[in-house]
């Protein structure tokens, strides 16, 4: 397959990257410091966290669902690798696996209720988010969390040959999910379910199991993002994942994944994560009132979602 054919096949993804590039280059002319090496590193750092949360969100949306529990799934993950291990590197040996198992299990519970009990995804995941919020507030009595263990501080704040460890982790996860989507049966099952779950079921696909796994992965990737966020900021605190709930969905929508399911590409989500980070940076650099920033950001994302849905309906 030649380059032109590849671009034509993935023109939606290419367009997303062009938008990110135009936004960045255009504003760099207006504000030269915007294109500095340190700011570029910051853009990729912030994008990495959004992208990791949006990884699981992409899988869920491809099936035709949505995960609104990622916000407090992140916070749970952050507290488990900080408070529960008492900020000790040695305790991470069991703390990280336990966090992965717990967030994977909570995500799987979301998937089970949605696929087997037919609870609407938006109701189930929003309810799970509220339950996790209440549970963590009750357990901590609203007190701030402990500092992150040194290993997480390294992963969240240090670089390897000038490349942040957090970005390296994101790159590795991107390669893994792309292989899963386009080189493994799991990916084909996701797209089949998103296009028509009934047809997929009669084709021999175990629809319930596939949906449960997609929500389980979403919960786990949110937990991983929470742990890395704790390392990036140095500690954990209540509601630290709240902004990522909306951003993860926005990254998926901007990246061209159909909000109705059946179509998507994680590379598009990567572009969506970069676009959101650049956009937020521009709004902050313009010194607009916070309310105006929020309105502009919400309007742009809303338009992206509408375009995604309209495009899917036409097809």
């Amino acid at each position: 397959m030649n380059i032109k054919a590849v671009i034509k096949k993935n023109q939606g993804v290419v367009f997303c990257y062009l938008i990110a590039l135009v936004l960045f280059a255009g504003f760099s002319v207006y504000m030269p410091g915007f294109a500095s090496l340190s700011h570029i590193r910051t853009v990729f750092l912030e994008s990495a966290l959004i992208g990791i949360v949006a990884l699981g969100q992409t899988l869920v949306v491809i099936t035709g669902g949505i995960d609104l529990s990622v916000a407090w799934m992140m916070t749970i993950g952050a507290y488990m690798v900080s408070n529960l291990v008492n900020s000790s590197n040695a305790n991470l040996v069991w703390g990280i696996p336990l966090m992965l198992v717990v967030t994977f299990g909570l995500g799987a519970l979301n998937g089970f209720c949605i696929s087997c009990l037919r609870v609407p995804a938006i109701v189930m995941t929003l309810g799970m988010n509220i339950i996790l919020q209440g549970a963590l507030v009750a357990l901590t009595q609203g007190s701030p969390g402990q500092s992150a263990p040194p290993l997480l501080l390294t992963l969240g704040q240090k670089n390897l040959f000038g490349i942040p460890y957090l970005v390296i982790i994101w790159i590795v996860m991107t390669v893994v999910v792309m292989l899963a989507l386009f080189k493994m049966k799991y990916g084909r099952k996701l797209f089949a379910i998103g296009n028509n779950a009934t047809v997929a079921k009669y084709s021999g696909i175990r629809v319930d199991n596939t949906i449960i796994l997609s929500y389980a992965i979403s919960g786990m990737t949110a937990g991983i993002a929470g742990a890395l966020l704790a390392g990036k900021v140095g500690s954990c605190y209540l509601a630290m994942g709240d902004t990522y709930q909306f951003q993860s969905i926005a990254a998926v929508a901007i990246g061209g994944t159909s909000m109705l399911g059946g179509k998507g590409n994680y590379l598009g989500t990567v572009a969506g994560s970069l676009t959101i980070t650049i956009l937020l940076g521009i709004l902050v650099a313009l010194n607009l009132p916070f309310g105006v920033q929020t309105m502009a950001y919400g309007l742009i994302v809303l338009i992206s979602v509408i375009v995604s849905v309209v495009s899917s309906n036409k097809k």
Side-chain angles (χ1 to χ4, degrees):
M1 186 179 292
N2 58 40
I3 296 178
K4 287 184 178 179
V6 172
I7 293 176
K8 184 176 181 180
K9 184 179 179 180
N10 299 282
Q11 57 185 349
V13 175
V14 174
F15 182 67
C16 291
Y17 281 97
L18 286 175
I19 290 176
L21 184 60
V22 168
L23 279 174
F24 188 82
F27 198 75
S28 296
V29 174
Y30 172 77
M31 184 173 286
F34 200 75
S36 66
L37 186 60
S38 61
H39 185 255
I40 291 174
R41 186 180 288 112
T42 299
V43 167
F44 276 96
L45 271 172
E46 296 298 330
S47 299
L49 287 169
I50 297 173
I52 292 172
V53 182
L55 188 156
Q57 191 77 259
T58 301
L59 303 182
V60 167
V61 171
I62 288 174
T63 67
I66 194 169
D67 190 353
L68 299 179
S69 67
V70 295
W72 281 83
M73 204 75 76
M74 284 182 69
T75 309
I76 288 287
Y79 269 79
M80 289 190 70
V81 294
S82 298
N83 280 30
L84 196 61
V85 304
N86 200 28
S87 302
S88 167
N89 269 350
N91 291 336
L92 286 177
V93 174
W94 56 264
I96 290 179
L98 180 61
M99 180 273 292
L100 294 176
V101 169
V102 169
T103 51
F104 185 91
L106 290 170
L109 179 59
N110 276 337
F112 173 79
C113 293
I114 291 165
S115 62
C116 299
L117 303 183
R118 301 295 184 265
V119 180
I122 192 169
V123 174
M124 180 63 214
T125 56
L126 184 59
M128 175 64 77
N129 195 59
I130 295 171
I131 291 171
L132 294 179
Q133 177 182 3
L136 195 56
V137 170
L139 288 172
T140 62
Q141 297 298 309
S143 61
Q146 298 182 23
S147 59
L151 175 60
L152 291 181
L153 293 176
T154 298
L155 294 178
Q157 301 175 7
K158 304 298 182 181
N159 307 318
L160 178 65
F161 303 119
I163 304 175
Y165 281 107
L166 210 163
V167 175
I168 294 173
I169 293 170
W170 186 29
I171 292 172
V172 172
M173 294 178 73
T174 298
V175 172
V176 172
V177 75
M178 288 301 293
L179 289 173
L181 282 175
F182 299 105
K183 296 296 182 181
M184 297 173 64
K185 290 182 179 179
Y186 173 69
R188 292 193 291 272
K189 290 177 181 178
L190 285 179
F191 289 111
I193 292 170
N195 279 305
N196 194 313
T198 302
V199 172
K201 182 176 181 179
Y202 285 114
S203 299
I205 295 175
R206 302 179 71 176
V207 174
D208 290 345
N209 289 355
T210 305
I211 291 176
I212 290 171
L213 181 57
S214 68
Y215 279 92
I217 293 173
S218 181
M220 185 174 66
T221 54
I224 293 171
L228 293 172
L229 178 58
K232 180 177 176 294
V233 301
S235 62
C236 54
Y237 52 91
L238 294 174
M240 63 191 298
D242 279 4
T243 59
Y244 292 90
Q245 182 188 68
F246 183 62
Q247 289 175 352
S248 68
I249 298 170
V252 173
I254 292 173
T257 296
S258 170
M259 299 305 292
L260 301 179
K263 174 181 173 290
N265 188 327
Y266 183 66
L267 287 180
T269 301
V270 171
S273 302
L274 290 167
T275 302
I276 288 172
T277 305
I278 294 169
L279 177 62
L280 288 172
I282 290 173
L283 292 174
V284 171
L286 289 174
N287 290 321
L288 297 174
F290 179 74
V292 176
Q293 290 182 32
T294 305
M295 288 175 60
Y297 175 58
L299 181 61
I300 291 170
V301 173
L302 180 60
I303 292 172
S304 300
V305 174
I306 292 173
V307 170
S308 174
V309 173
V310 171
S311 176
S312 299
N313 280 334
K314 287 182 178 179
K315 293 181 179 180

